Amino acid sequence: MTEKHFIPIPYKNSLENGSFSWSSPSNIALVKYWGKKENQIPANPSISFTLDACKTTTTLKVSKNESPNDFSFNVFLNEEKNDGFKPKIYIFFKRIEIYLPFLKEFHFDIETNYTFPHSSGIASSASGMSALALCLMSIEKEMNPTMSDEFFNQKASFLARLGSGSASRSIQGDLVCWGKHKEITGSSDLFGVKYPFQVHDNFKNYQDTILLVDKGEKQVSSTIGHDLMHNHPFAEQRFMQAHENLSKLINVFKKGDLKSFIEIVESEALTLHSMMMTSMPYFILMKPNTLEIINKIWSFRKATKSNICFTLDAGANVHVLYPSNEKDTVLEFIKNELVAYCQNGQYICDQVGIGAKKM
Ligand code: DP6
């Protein structure tokens, strides 16, 4: 399949105005996407748990664009007009116009509500861009009502990817793979697919408690970080390693092998950050408290034989991952020993979710 698959034929129906709402979750990568080629094609495949509580709800209000020679839209963030997001959305519209040729015909009021702080290392661009892509797909569906659900989801993920790569993994649940991998049936660089193989009950309702170590804007955006993987001395090795880790995970998911899961996931997190530290220019997104938390998790695991582990996004916050049957003990540990390292004691209890919902 190529990009052309997503260029629509002339629509059957027309639309004057309307309002479309979707709620779309964030996701947490187990094998990380870090590095990309032109047109948001990932340098390596990635896989993530779709989250549940961390989500964005977007309402897209559609009316006629009085000056259809350019895109026309306003952005409202948690009820307030916000022009800060406009450039990113403008670029997004430009990238996807060929796949949604109606974009300039309409004026859009994009009303977005986050359940968590944006630009904090919790993938807010993933939930935000996927929610917007889904609203746009609802418009297309009005104009082409016979579209299948499979195509709807595929194209939503395809469009979301063009807004933010990781957003392609937020349409469905509970495990989503994005990027071509030779052993994963149906996997594609163009969109995310539901993980197609057997997953052991050990991974059902997997818990993710997100410790907010630093809620400030990060100094280096993911987009710049990805770019620094061009000419990175360890890039090729890293991309190969991601393929290998994904291969290993197939068996881990099947067998419910938590020990190997922990090893792969923590190694991926530290590799991601070591890529940042060995870029030119180099940078560090972890904070002292990130390391304090990691060490505490390791001590607790050693002392209690718990299956707790951590992962990191492109930020200082720590995602604490653990099986649902350890919920009580791990939460107790988090409250007693880790909350002290969180900014204003803040953390978010989340778990694996089923994907985006139409409102
Ligand atoms: C570290 O998807 O935010 O979270 O495509 O430039 O928008 P852009 O990047 P983005 O990168 C996410 C990187 C990551 C790892 C991951 O989610 O796989």
Side-chain angles (χ1 to χ4, degrees), residues 210-221:
I210 306 156
L211 307 178
L212 301 175
V213 170
D214 183 35
K215 301 205 294 165
E217 298 270 332
K218 35 187 178 189
Q219 307 106 308
V220 181
S221 75

Side-chain angles (χ1 to χ4, degrees), residues 4 43 109 160 175 207 252 283 298:
K4 286 210 181 73
D109 280 326
L175 258 179
Q207 303 292 304
V252 166
F283 59 106
W298 285 342

Side-chain angles (χ1 to χ4, degrees), residues 27 29 31-34 36 40 46 88 125 163-166 169 222-223 226 272 313-314:
N27 66 73
V31 171
K32 308 290 182 181
Y33 148 57
W34 198 243
K36 56 176 150 180
Q40 294 282 104
S46 56
K88 198 159 183 186
S125 65
S164 181
S166 54
R169 298 187 311 238
S222 292
T223 305
H226 284 291
L272 168 71
D313 259 343

Side-chain angles (χ1 to χ4, degrees), residues 227-239 274-282:
D227 232 27
L228 293 173
M229 287 304 280
H230 293 291
N231 304 318
H232 190 293
F234 307 134
E236 285 318 310
Q237 272 305 117
R238 159 61 197 152
F239 301 147
S274 62
M275 289 300 114
M276 301 172 187
M277 291 190 249
T278 47
S279 299
M280 193 53 78
Y282 40 81

